[in-house]
Amino acid sequence: MISVRDGQNQILAQISEPTPPELLPVTRARERVLAEDLRAPFDVPPTDNSAVDGYAVASGDVPATGTRDLDVVAELPAGAVYDGLLASGQAVRIMTGAPMPHGADTVYPQEVVERRGGLVRVGPTRKSANVRMRGEDIQAGTIVIERGTVLRPQELGLIASLGRWQVLVHRRPRVALLSTGDEVVEPGMPRKAGQIYDANRFTLRGSIEQCGGEVLDLGIVPDVRDELRARLLEAADVGDIVVTSGGVSVGVLDLVKEVLHEIGAIDFWQVAMQPGRPLAFGRIKSAHFFGLPGNPVASMLAFMLFVRPAIFKLAGRRRLFPDTAEATAVEPMSKRKGRREFKRGVVQWRNGRWEARITGPQGSGILSSMAAGNCLIVLEEDRGDVAAGETVLVEPF
Ligand code: AMP
Ligand code: MG
């Protein structure tokens, strides 16, 4: 048996190079991973500018006490720039964000002054009031967004504000996906006695898409040695990663093992976890291979624990693991020491705290336990049964 952590480390150690970069328009880069350190090509803001609608003046004209009348020499609409040099006794009407006129260093908000015809009456204020300084947000040349960042809408806006319309992002990792088993049939087709509809290819393709991979769906392979070998070789030709489900336990027809020993370098692991103990990991040609268990909950969980961080690393992401939080167990939970258990749970803010409960029966084939839940409740190896009121770790999904 190996621990979850050791398994994860061994897998990540095999993934050295991220996928190559490609240039994409910003409009198509959401959820992609930045493949360059994005630097500011100019100061932001590019010039000193006004933080308010009001009047720009030279601080030398600001009265220490009482008031002073200044000549309004220009009215600048948004986007207009004052070319002249502001002389003593003068003010310019200015809009939020407009560049400060030469000679001006202070702005009065329009609400605090009195405008009379061509004059504006001003009182004491602080030098540089209501001026945003050139480069106060970002200085030219500094890194604004680091390589390995997943681009959310706010990053896209930031990139656009720097004048860029294209960015370098990592190519999506290609994940070839197969279900195995003579009993597994395609949804939409008639189902004979003894057959089950394929669930795993659908949870897994959704999971692959969710974490930024491109799915290459190679369908269902029957438990026939030559066919399995051919499909796995084909999968390794098209995918950076090959994922199968089923066929890694110890049944007579669990051919995945045998075939993989012929065509690749594969380890078979018993991971100290529940659900989802058996896992195959290795290589077929240049592709990374994951053989996930057949039970639907186990295959999805094994994906979350082992395949997702691998896809993330291949995609160039900096963060490979999700955040966890603490919650209070509101019911007892059975737990066997020596393995990590993952209950499907519901976590809710109640009674002034995060409360966690289990979603009914937890069998590894009961996919509805995943659908009813919004988190994994993670119970560590050295822990025994959990009593109501104890603190548990939750990982929202
Ligand atoms: P196996 O590891 O192939 O022995 O499969 C373990 C269990 O998972 C069996 O009950 C299979 O019928 C079931 N199973 C395997 N593949 C799938 C699949 N793609 N969708 C739903 N259940 C599956
Ligand atoms: Mg099978």
Side-chain angles (χ1 to χ4, degrees):
M1 286 256 199
I2 66 166
S3 69
V4 171
R5 178 59 52 80
D6 284 349
Q8 289 171 330
N9 288 341
Q10 285 193 43
I11 288 166
L12 292 174
Q14 293 300 313
I15 296 169
S16 43
E17 285 291 298
T19 55
E22 60 186 359
L23 199 55
L24 274 195
V26 172
T27 47
R28 286 178 42 212
R30 191 173 71 84
E31 292 294 309
R32 298 294 292 264
V33 182
L34 196 62
E36 57 176 323
D37 281 331
L38 200 104
R39 291 174 188 276
F42 47 76
D43 289 327
V44 180
T47 58
D48 293 354
N49 69 92
S50 177
V52 294
D53 290 342
Y55 293 85
V57 306
S59 51
D61 283 343
V62 171
T65 57
T67 60
R68 176 163 186 195
D69 288 338
L70 303 173
D71 275 329
V72 180
V73 294
E75 309 257 352
L76 299 182
V81 173
Y82 186 65
D83 299 324
L85 177 67
L86 204 68
S88 175
Q90 296 184 334
V92 165
R93 172 98 172 102
I94 195 170
M95 298 300 154
T96 305
M100 292 292 288
H102 290 294
D105 59 7
T106 301
V107 179
Y108 287 96
Q110 61 191 14
E111 309 82 55
V112 308
V113 300
E114 240 177 283
R115 177 78 188 260
R116 286 208 190 128
L119 293 178
V120 64
R121 177 163 294 175
V122 302
T125 190
R126 178 178 59 79
K127 182 181 173 183
S128 303
N130 303 306
V131 178
R132 301 173 184 149
M133 296 301 171
R134 170 180 178 160
E136 78 174 19
D137 185 356
I138 304 160
Q139 285 180 349
T142 55
I143 296 174
V144 183
I145 311 175
E146 271 181 72
R147 174 196 302 268
T149 303
V150 180
L151 301 176
R152 302 168 298 173
Q154 51 270 52
E155 277 85 25
L156 300 179
L158 193 53
I159 293 167
S161 76
L162 299 173
R164 293 274 299 265
W165 69 281
Q166 289 180 313
V167 277
L168 275 181
V169 296
H170 289 283
R171 172 170 70 64
R172 286 181 194 284
R174 299 185 182 122
V175 185
L177 181 60
L178 290 165
S179 291
T180 71
D182 284 338
E183 79 283 22
V184 181
V185 289
E186 189 70 26
M189 304 295 281
R191 182 174 61 109
K192 300 191 204 100
Q195 294 186 317
I196 56 162
Y197 284 123
D198 190 353
N200 296 349
R201 238 167 70 245
F202 298 84
T203 52
L204 293 172
R205 74 178 292 154
S207 302
I208 293 163
E209 286 169 355
Q210 225 173 27
C211 66
E214 182 187 330
V215 179
L216 306 164
D217 190 339
L218 300 186
I220 303 165
V221 204
D223 294 317
V224 176
R225 181 188 296 266
D226 291 342
E227 212 165 317
L228 186 60
R229 186 192 297 110
R231 298 285 279 284
L232 285 171
L233 288 170
E234 183 194 337
D237 283 334
V238 295
D240 302 305
I241 293 180
V242 175
V243 174
T244 65
S245 68
V248 291
S249 50
V250 287
V252 184
L253 282 177
D254 291 346
L255 290 172
V256 173
K257 275 187 189 179
E258 292 176 34
V259 170
L260 281 169
H261 279 315
E262 295 170 28
I263 62 172
I266 312 289
D267 275 340
F268 290 87
W269 293 344
Q270 295 293 318
V271 185
M273 63 187 264
Q274 164 71 24
R277 203 158 53 127
L279 180 76
F281 171 69
R283 250 170 203 277
I284 307 173
K285 297 194 242 182
S286 63
H288 302 283
F289 172 80
F290 292 86
L292 307 182
N295 278 311
V297 176
S299 67
M300 191 172 178
L301 183 67
F303 180 92
M304 293 163 89
L305 293 174
F306 302 108
V307 189
R308 184 172 60 192
I311 294 178
F312 282 177
K313 186 164 181 195
L314 202 53
R317 291 205 199 201
R318 264 178 302 132
R319 294 201 45 202
L320 305 183
F321 295 101
D323 282 329
T324 51
E326 287 186 344
T328 305
V330 291
E331 61 187 357
M333 299 173 190
S334 65
K335 165 68 174 61
R336 196 196 296 170
K337 278 194 179 179
R339 64 186 191 187
R340 189 174 289 208
E341 293 188 18
F342 298 86
K343 313 279 185 193
R344 277 68 71 205
V346 175
V347 63
Q348 277 178 308
W349 181 257
R350 269 206 198 156
N351 307 313
R353 60 185 187 174
W354 288 106
E355 293 187 347
R357 64 178 173 80
I358 287 172
T359 60
Q362 295 286 302
S364 66
I366 303 178
L367 193 52
S368 55
S369 71
M370 276 287 196
N374 66 6
C375 70
L376 294 174
I377 299 172
V378 184
L379 304 177
E380 308 86 330
E381 284 79 353
D382 54 3
R383 191 158 191 174
D385 288 340
V386 175
E390 286 185 26
T391 299
V392 292
L393 277 183
V394 297
E395 191 183 302
F397 60 61

